[in-house]
Amino acid sequence: MEFILTLFLTVGAYLLGSIPFGILAAGYFEGVDPREAGSGNIGATNVSRIAGKKAGAVTLACDVGKGALPVGLALLLGLSKMSVGIVGLAAFLGHLFPVFLGFKGGKGVATAVGIFLVISPVATLLSATVFLMVTLATKYVSAGSIFASLALPLCLGILRTGYAGLGLVIGALI
């Protein structure tokens, strides 16, 4: 039964991850395509720059949600850590390689935050602290994201969550 649930949730997580909320929000609020403006990225930072803070906030919330929702459902259904990790990775890969955009998506940082916020809020908050410190020091969100991605697997491992491997894989892809 777990195999069938995992398979169903994995496909659903990938499809949910593939929804380009940044494109939808930027189009709705300002009629622009973030792939054709600013950095060309479909994520919240670029959407905020080109379509406004409201569009950026919607993008951020939806991108976090598409990581959190399938992982939360997998945990709620009592699936094993391996299955939860597979479901989370599927949502993340959906954002990076969305079927709806010819497999060319975003960086996946917000989706990863959603995944790990559900799996380990403490590790996520520690990693977010690294993000904030580096972003404030360098004035680059991308630098904060990279350092937070490096810190997350360490935090997951130190806290013995059982998800350090998932953190390593996702961190490497970011």
Side-chain angles (χ1 to χ4, degrees):
M1 184 66 166
E2 177 159 340
F3 175 78
I4 293 169
L5 282 173
T6 301
L7 183 62
F8 178 75
L9 286 176
T10 299
V11 171
Y14 173 79
L15 292 173
L16 179 61
S18 288
I19 298 172
F21 288 112
I23 292 173
L24 298 174
Y28 177 79
F29 285 100
E30 286 296 321
V32 295
D33 185 338
R35 296 171 297 178
E36 297 174 4
S39 68
N41 192 292
I42 64 171
T45 301
N46 191 44
V47 170
S48 289
R49 281 189 208 117
I50 65 162
K53 290 183 182 183
K54 193 180 288 187
V58 167
T59 301
L60 180 62
C62 290
D63 283 353
V64 168
K66 69 183 175 182
L69 182 67
V71 168
L73 188 55
L75 287 170
L76 189 65
L77 292 171
L79 298 183
S80 67
K81 286 186 179 192
M82 177 66 81
S83 291
V84 171
I86 289 168
V87 169
L89 185 59
F92 180 76
L93 291 174
H95 185 84
L96 265 61
F97 308 108
V99 66
F100 306 123
L101 297 178
F103 305 101
K104 295 177 185 171
K107 293 180 179 74
V109 175
T111 303
V113 168
I115 292 164
F116 291 108
L117 197 55
V118 172
I119 288 173
S120 178
V122 173
T124 305
L125 289 173
L126 291 170
S127 183
T129 302
V130 171
F131 169 83
L132 283 172
M133 290 175 13
V134 172
T135 300
L136 290 172
T138 65
K139 307 286 190 244
Y140 288 102
V141 172
S142 57
S145 298
I146 290 167
F147 277 91
S149 297
L150 293 170
L152 183 65
L154 295 172
C155 295
L156 291 164
I158 290 167
L159 293 170
R160 298 179 187 264
T161 63
Y163 291 102
L166 179 64
L168 265 173
V169 170
I170 288 178
L173 290 168
I174 289 174

